[in-house]
Amino acid sequence: MLGKMMHRPLRISDILEFAADAFPTAEIISARTEGDIHRQTYPETRDRVCQLAHALQKLGVEMGDRVATLAWNGYRHFELYYAVSGIGAVCHTINPRLSVEQLIYIVNHADDRLIFVDTTFVPLLEAVQEHLPKGLTYVIMTDRDHMPATSLVGALCYEDLLKGQPQRMDWRDFDENTAAGLCYTSGTTGHPKGALYSHRSNVLHAMMIAVTLGNTFREGQKVLPVVPLFHVNAWGLPYAGPMAGLSLVMPGPALDGPSLFKLMDQENVYSAWGVPTVWLGLLAEIKEQGRKPNGFGDVVIGGSAAPRSMIEAFEKMDVSVGHAWGMTEMSPVGTHGTLPSFTNDWPLEKRLDLKQTQGRRVFGVELKIVDDDGERLPNDGKAVGELFVRGNAVVAGYYNNDEATAEALDEEGWFGTGDVASIDKDGYLTIQDRAKDLIKSGGEWISSIDLENAAMAHPSIANCAAIGVPHPKWDERPILVAVPTDSERVTLEELHELLSEHFAKWQLPDDIVWVDELPMTATGKVSKLNLRKALADYKHPEVH
């Protein structure tokens, strides 16, 4: 027997229409590439989104067409999220930090019709224009006064497109499974793979995180998405924020510690979301200023594991840390680090033990770990296996890539993450490592993540990565590649003394290699692939 209820499709456009009606004073505040701060309310945003949607249709954009963006976090990028999907087209966000080869590949693989570009990235497109699809329409995201001279063929001006267009739109009714967004993984091997999101998946994902992360999603708060709109939906904030009545503070291109501190301080930002490398810069500026930004009380850290020392530094200044985990293929949030209320009276060290894990699953996401034969392992905190996921916001396959789809899904339809993990009896997930980043020494596994997190507690290490290097006797041995905070550098013996409390002697790194900076991936993570290449000729010291 079926229920007797109406069925209305879940559409992204309805989120903005709701926000404009329910939260008319909430704002999008943007640091623009033009150099100023721009403000507009959700009703004003809705009007401009309608104008943009009409303009897209006049340019011939139809259902299913891919419309690309190459832009920072700002109100115009936000408008594209809603206008493109609202007319049934697909908003294809491109990561400008990808290699030129990868950028060319994904624009052609997606067969983009239009590409909207911030002024910062115009030279990037000019350099590869001859390798992009013929007939691609270029739109520069600025006003007429700030239009740059460009060799992009037929380049249009964003604000000119909106002029004279109606400020109301009768949004189409279409199946909620209609494609809405496209984001490609950065790809450590082979070509990037496309995650094709639907209206249903994005709306449900927004509801999932808004319900789960209650500390962030309180009406009237301001949240700063440092995590970019050009990668995996800025972790869902462009949808969940308006849905819950948050004001969004967009940082634009300035993501260094001093710039973020200044923006957060002047706008009274409560919550900020981003990867650990960003927060290293902010923490350094907080130390320099001798205080935290005004109003700052919540930080969500994801993308890669947050060191315990970082979590502790924020918690000691009364900034609640939500340590989250997810993937491009999961829209992306899969787990969250919000602690249950019964832990409120626990001592800090005990709370940090939980906060250092990747937390518990959000509603709508299921987790399992399996052994090498695909057999399910118990959630006892001891068993370690490959992590698989499924849910309404998890990909069922890759865009136009049957081979990669077949490799990613198991016989039950669960998606294989490539992470090695354990899950305890209370549902807390601990990512032990990426399968390819585990270090195997003498037949035993060593977690590079655990070594990195522990080493980061030393004040002379600003950032670090643990990798395995070939060894004639032990197959591999761990070394630590570190960036110093200043001229004082910890010795290997001093580091061993620090780590010996948490690791057996055979698990300790055999060497410290000091570098000025670590190679980063397009998504702000340390690129261990490039690090291994850079150290291909490394000569291992004698093992004592």
Side-chain angles (χ1 to χ4, degrees), residues 184-206:
Y184 282 75
T185 64
S186 54
T188 54
T189 57
H191 288 304
K193 300 181 287 290
L196 187 62
Y197 311 119
S198 68
H199 283 258
R200 181 175 188 268
S201 69
N202 279 340
V203 172
L204 288 175
H205 182 267

Side-chain angles (χ1 to χ4, degrees), residues 4 44 80 83 91 93 124 128 138 158 170 194 196 202 213 241 271 308 312 332 341 343 359 404 444 454 486-487 498:
K4 300 289 289 183
E44 291 168 338
L80 282 159
C91 184
T93 55
L124 178 58
V128 300
Y138 301 93
Y158 185 98
D170 291 327
L196 187 62
N202 279 340
L213 300 174
S271 181
R308 184 185 182 96
E312 184 175 10
S341 59
T343 67
E444 299 290 341
D486 50 39
S487 58
L498 172 70

Side-chain angles (χ1 to χ4, degrees), residues 11-244:
R11 300 181 306 177
I12 289 170
S13 58
D14 291 329
I15 296 176
L16 184 57
E17 292 288 349
F18 172 74
D21 290 343
F23 309 113
T25 61
E27 295 179 299
I28 300 175
I29 302 158
S30 304
R32 303 201 304 175
T33 57
E34 291 90 338
D36 59 351
I37 299 294
H38 178 274
R39 301 171 186 274
Q40 65 186 37
T41 63
Y42 284 132
E44 291 168 338
T45 301
R46 187 258 315 275
D47 292 349
R48 284 174 55 86
V49 166
C50 291
Q51 290 180 303
L52 179 56
H54 284 290
L56 289 170
Q57 290 181 327
K58 288 190 72 172
L59 288 172
V61 177
E62 299 179 349
M63 288 276 294
D65 283 346
R66 274 74 67 202
V67 176
T69 69
L70 194 65
W72 299 109
N73 287 13
Y75 66 103
R76 293 186 181 110
H77 204 170
F78 179 94
E79 290 164 0
L80 282 159
Y81 263 60
Y82 283 87
V84 173
S85 62
I87 61 173
V90 180
C91 184
H92 172 207
T93 55
I94 299 174
N95 188 338
R97 297 169 182 152
L98 293 173
S99 69
V100 169
E101 180 184 357
Q102 290 175 322
L103 188 150
I104 291 170
Y105 171 80
I106 66 174
V107 173
N108 282 281
H109 187 264
D111 194 20
D112 293 319
R113 284 279 313 278
L114 290 82
I115 185 164
F116 285 75
V117 57
D118 260 336
T119 53
T120 310
F121 304 120
V122 168
L124 178 58
L125 285 185
E126 289 175 333
V128 300
Q129 184 176 191
E130 63 182 85
H131 302 289
L132 301 181
K134 303 304 178 187
L136 185 64
T137 298
Y138 301 93
V139 182
I140 299 177
M141 296 166 66
T142 189
D143 54 36
R144 178 53 57 183
D145 290 341
H146 293 90
M147 277 290 285
T150 180
S151 61
L152 293 176
V153 176
L156 304 174
C157 173
Y158 185 98
E159 293 299 330
D160 286 354
L161 290 182
L162 272 62
K163 287 180 181 177
Q165 299 295 340
Q167 294 183 339
R168 288 293 177 269
M169 185 79 177
D170 291 327
W171 300 108
R172 288 186 181 182
D173 264 336
F174 43 65
D175 191 297
E176 63 185 11
N177 294 300
T178 298
L182 179 61
C183 181
Y184 282 75
T185 64
S186 54
T188 54
T189 57
H191 288 304
K193 300 181 287 290
L196 187 62
Y197 311 119
S198 68
H199 283 258
R200 181 175 188 268
S201 69
N202 279 340
V203 172
L204 288 175
H205 182 267
M207 292 178 175
M208 287 155 50
I209 62 172
V211 167
T212 303
L213 300 174
N215 195 44
T216 296
F217 291 96
R218 288 182 285 176
E219 187 266 330
Q221 302 277 31
K222 288 183 178 179
V223 61
L224 176 77
V226 183
V227 56
L229 275 79
F230 60 64
H231 181 66
V232 73
N233 304 325
W235 296 353
L237 280 175
Y239 305 126
M243 185 183 286

